[in-house]
Amino acid sequence: MDSPRLNGEDRRHTEALAGIGTELPPIIVHRATMRVIDGVHRLSAARLRGDERIKAVLFDGTEQEAYVLSVKANVAHGLPLSATERTRAAERIVAMHPDWSDRAIAASSGLGARTVGSIRRRRAASGADRAGAGSRVGRGGRVRPVDSTTGRLKAVDYLQGRPGASLREIARHAGVSPSTARDVRDRLHRGESPIPVTRRPRPGSDSPPLRSLVQGLASDPSLRFSESGRDLLRWLITHAVQDGEWKGLVDAIPAHSTQVLARIARHCSREWREFADTLERDAA
């Protein structure tokens, strides 16, 4: 079992433990490999003072889970891990569990969430992390998306059919937090985009122009401050499709549904074209 300690056993700490007259606390052992997860110093101290036995707790889990437990245990008690050891441990946990949140990894490694975020960004910049992790697991085991844009759009779609739905109901259906559901609902009531400015593509990015066109309409006072205008904006935000946005959905379509979906797509395309032709005629 790899230890988070970079310099191995600290002899002085072992000798200090050996001088304790009472029974040493139990060590933790990985059942599958019978390697010590936590308590190497206690085991050495027991040997040093001639103890024939030491209590042990057996841990059932993978070697990755055992490593994380080892880091947690060494952060919580005993000889403290150095800042370098905690950083190295966090780097390894990020590599093993890229879907864990910064706070979850911080709690395991004894670092701050911001420090873990910096470690993650460095790995991403170097290409060390796998790309495309769409969600992260928080400390309570709850899965949350890294980018809530998709969840916000799902919330919009749900609200279109159920305007009186509770925040918890919207959040559960869309996979977002209740606070995000409230923000989406309030934005729609104001005729604003459900996606905050901080989540929109930055100027000069490779984002398709359609998004900026929709955002421009959403900031038009003549639409935002009338009920019919807000209805139009909500409808448009729900139905506007970005360039290539559909490509990520193709692989999820079962073979027996492709023809039906193709008919639906063509029907929607015809309706959009007729809508565009009508607008252009009215403007002429």
Side-chain angles (χ1 to χ4, degrees):
M1 184 67 57
D2 293 335
S3 170
R5 300 191 184 278
L6 300 178
N7 297 320
E9 183 182 336
D10 185 308
R11 186 64 182 177
R12 287 181 299 180
H13 186 61
T14 297
E15 291 173 350
L17 290 174
I20 297 176
T22 58
E23 183 181 30
L24 295 170
I27 63 175
I28 303 177
V29 178
H30 187 219
R31 187 193 298 270
T33 61
M34 294 306 294
R35 294 176 180 174
V36 177
I37 295 174
D38 177 51
V40 169
H41 286 97
R42 274 168 276 154
L43 181 60
S44 295
R47 287 170 175 164
L48 184 62
R49 68 186 193 180
D51 293 349
E52 295 183 356
R53 298 181 180 181
I54 187 171
K55 290 183 178 180
V57 175
L58 295 180
F59 172 75
D60 292 300
T62 66
E63 291 201 34
Q64 288 187 342
E65 291 169 337
Y67 177 78
V68 173
L69 177 58
S70 176
V71 176
K72 284 183 176 180
N74 281 280
V75 166
H77 61 78
L79 183 66
L81 295 177
S82 68
T84 299
E85 288 171 334
R86 283 182 279 123
T87 299
R88 293 287 181 84
E91 289 173 348
R92 183 165 177 181
I93 296 174
V94 168
M96 291 190 302
H97 301 287
D99 56 333
W100 282 17
S101 70
D102 292 345
R103 289 183 180 276
I105 296 174
S108 299
S109 61
L111 295 175
R114 290 186 178 180
T115 302
V116 174
S118 297
I119 292 172
R120 195 190 299 276
R121 287 190 293 273
R122 286 200 303 270
R123 289 184 57 83
S126 66
D129 273 345
R130 63 178 176 86
S135 58
R136 290 186 186 152
V137 182
R139 294 176 62 180
R142 187 172 182 179
V143 179
R144 295 185 184 277
V146 175
D147 181 1
S148 67
T149 300
T150 300
R152 283 174 173 270
L153 293 177
K154 285 183 178 180
V156 172
D157 184 57
Y158 194 76
L159 278 165
Q160 291 289 331
R162 302 168 182 81
S166 69
L167 292 176
R168 289 188 178 277
E169 184 181 353
I170 299 166
R172 184 171 58 252
H173 176 83
V176 298
S177 66
S179 61
T180 299
R182 178 186 289 107
D183 184 62
V184 170
R185 186 186 63 184
D186 292 346
R187 286 173 177 275
L188 291 177
H189 286 168
R190 296 192 300 266
E192 299 176 0
S193 169
I195 304 172
V197 174
T198 54
R199 297 186 181 275
R200 300 175 200 161
R202 297 179 180 177
S205 68
D206 295 330
S207 61
L210 178 61
R211 186 181 295 276
S212 59
L213 293 174
V214 174
Q215 299 301 338
L217 285 173
S219 62
D220 185 345
S222 62
L223 293 175
R224 288 180 57 188
F225 299 124
S226 69
E227 186 61 34
S228 59
R230 289 193 291 271
D231 287 341
L232 171 63
L233 290 173
R234 285 192 287 266
W235 179 82
L236 181 59
I237 290 168
T238 304
H239 294 84
V241 179
Q242 303 293 322
D243 292 349
E245 189 177 29
W246 53 270
K247 292 180 180 178
L249 305 175
V250 173
D251 292 340
I253 300 173
H256 63 270
S257 299
T258 54
Q259 293 300 319
V260 175
L261 284 169
R263 289 176 59 188
I264 294 172
R266 292 189 186 282
H267 175 81
C268 292
S269 175
R270 287 194 298 270
E271 291 296 315
W272 270 104
R273 184 177 296 278
E274 185 175 346
F275 178 51
D277 291 343
T278 300
L279 293 176
E280 290 175 347
R281 283 197 303 270
D282 292 346

